[in-house]
Amino acid sequence: MSARMKRREFITLLGGAAAAWPLAARAQQVPAKKMLRVGTVSGTPQSSPQWAAFLGRMAELGYQEGKTFVFDVVPAASEEEYETGYRTLVAREPDIIMATGVEIALKSAMAATRTLPIVMIAIDYDPFARGYVASLARPSGNVTGVFFQQIELAAKRIQLVKDAFPNMSAATMFWDRASADQWQASQNVAPKLGLRLFGIELREPPYDYERALGKAPADHRGMVIVATSVFFFRDRERIADFAFRHRIASMFVFREWVEAGGLLSYGPSISAQFVRVAEFVDRIARGAKPADLPIEQPTKFELVVNLKTARAIGIELPTAILLRADEVIE
């Protein structure tokens, strides 16, 4: 203490500091609420059912959009727009980034930031096999979330097609660059089950399904199997209507296609996974590190059948399939 400081000044200084301590302690105990900023780049609009499920769960967890929570969606009309979309998003300084669906989403998000937490839903690829995470149990880095086993499920759908239509020997499969692994897995298993597959790659959104079907041999046009990607999901009502108008049997990945009029679907509930991802976001917002949150995989898969569509297009499904179905839409 300086010799020039007077005794009264010293006592005043001590008194002021002592009075400030309880205020500081209270401020640390009850921090002011911060606006949580979550952002993503998406090929599907915010009104899509999976985003509605995510926002609904966030509300249940206490996040009020516009008051304590901001959800920033940068639209992407094609795969090429993801990279610039995530750079734009990171420049807006979100707290947490989401990378859902296609591989280019996670790749672009990781290129845009190595520090911000990234919560992924890896639908069309294996993040471990592609080297994005060190392991599923301990992902390391700044990435965690949910991983769909689409490669295994693609093979299972071919088996279900044969179970539903045992006499069918040929079918067409629609796929795109994002779902190439699903096409390869389906192509590998189909001959073993006595099914000849003709694959048609859709390349430039918006996809022309009429033209695509016209490329298939005539004897392959009685059944269409559709892989999943953000662009196919965005077109689910168009594709379901297309199959219905042509009176074609159809197999899809998610129930949303069947609810739109498709015939069959087999896979996990995509809405349930977006609900789960909201819980990841909440945990990270409360202080958890992505590296400490194991990547999860769906354990429940549902077979959904639209019996109304089957009757309308003149298809009779085996009783065994109807009994195995988790839901039959009548």
Side-chain angles (χ1 to χ4, degrees), residues 79-301:
E79 285 197 353
E80 290 71 26
E81 294 183 14
Y82 277 86
E83 186 176 350
T84 56
Y86 274 105
R87 286 201 300 266
T88 298
L89 184 64
V90 168
R92 296 175 183 174
E93 300 184 345
D95 300 302
I96 300 170
I97 287 177
M98 296 178 65
T100 64
V102 290
E103 180 181 0
I104 191 64
L106 181 59
K107 184 177 181 180
S108 299
M110 292 181 70
T113 179
R114 290 290 179 179
T115 56
L116 290 175
I118 299 173
V119 180
M120 68 172 179
I121 299 184
I123 295 179
D124 307 320
Y125 63 98
D126 182 336
F128 172 65
R130 298 289 172 88
Y132 295 110
V133 295
S135 74
L136 300 184
R138 294 192 65 82
S140 74
N142 59 330
V143 177
T144 189
V146 175
F147 160 46
F148 285 30
Q149 309 97 306
Q150 284 297 1
I151 307 307
E152 296 88 342
L153 291 174
K156 178 65 175 178
R157 288 182 200 104
I158 300 299
Q159 177 66 65
L160 284 169
V161 166
K162 285 298 292 183
D163 291 345
F165 306 100
N167 296 325
M168 181 174 289
S169 60
T172 295
M173 183 166 177
F174 290 163
W175 60 283
D176 58 10
R177 184 169 64 177
S179 55
D181 288 349
Q182 298 168 54
W183 158 239
Q184 188 60 56
S186 302
Q187 192 178 27
N188 290 342
V189 75
K192 301 173 185 177
L193 299 173
L195 185 67
R196 291 177 290 116
L197 270 187
F198 186 85
I200 300 175
E201 181 183 4
L202 284 299
R203 294 185 177 178
E204 296 181 4
Y207 296 153
D208 187 338
Y209 300 106
E210 298 285 348
R211 183 180 178 186
L213 185 65
K215 296 179 181 179
D219 62 341
H220 286 67
R221 297 179 189 176
M223 175 84 197
V224 63
I225 301 165
V226 182
T228 183
S229 76
V230 63
F231 306 110
F232 286 137
F233 189 81
R234 186 174 60 193
D235 287 349
R236 61 192 178 278
E237 292 182 358
R238 282 185 58 213
I239 301 173
D241 179 68
F242 157 81
F244 187 88
R245 285 187 291 103
H246 286 276
R247 302 175 70 84
I248 301 173
S250 51
M251 167 62 83
F252 300 100
V253 175
F254 298 121
R255 65 178 300 127
E256 282 78 6
W257 270 287
V258 177
E259 291 172 345
L263 184 62
L264 303 167
S265 70
Y266 180 76
S269 165
I270 190 169
S271 294
Q273 304 315 312
F274 273 74
V275 165
R276 184 61 184 138
V277 159
E279 294 162 2
F280 273 86
V281 169
D282 176 57
R283 291 183 66 182
I284 293 171
R286 293 176 184 274
K289 296 180 179 179
D292 297 330
L293 300 177
I295 293 170
E296 298 182 1
Q297 295 177 286
T299 56
K300 182 181 178 181
F301 308 98

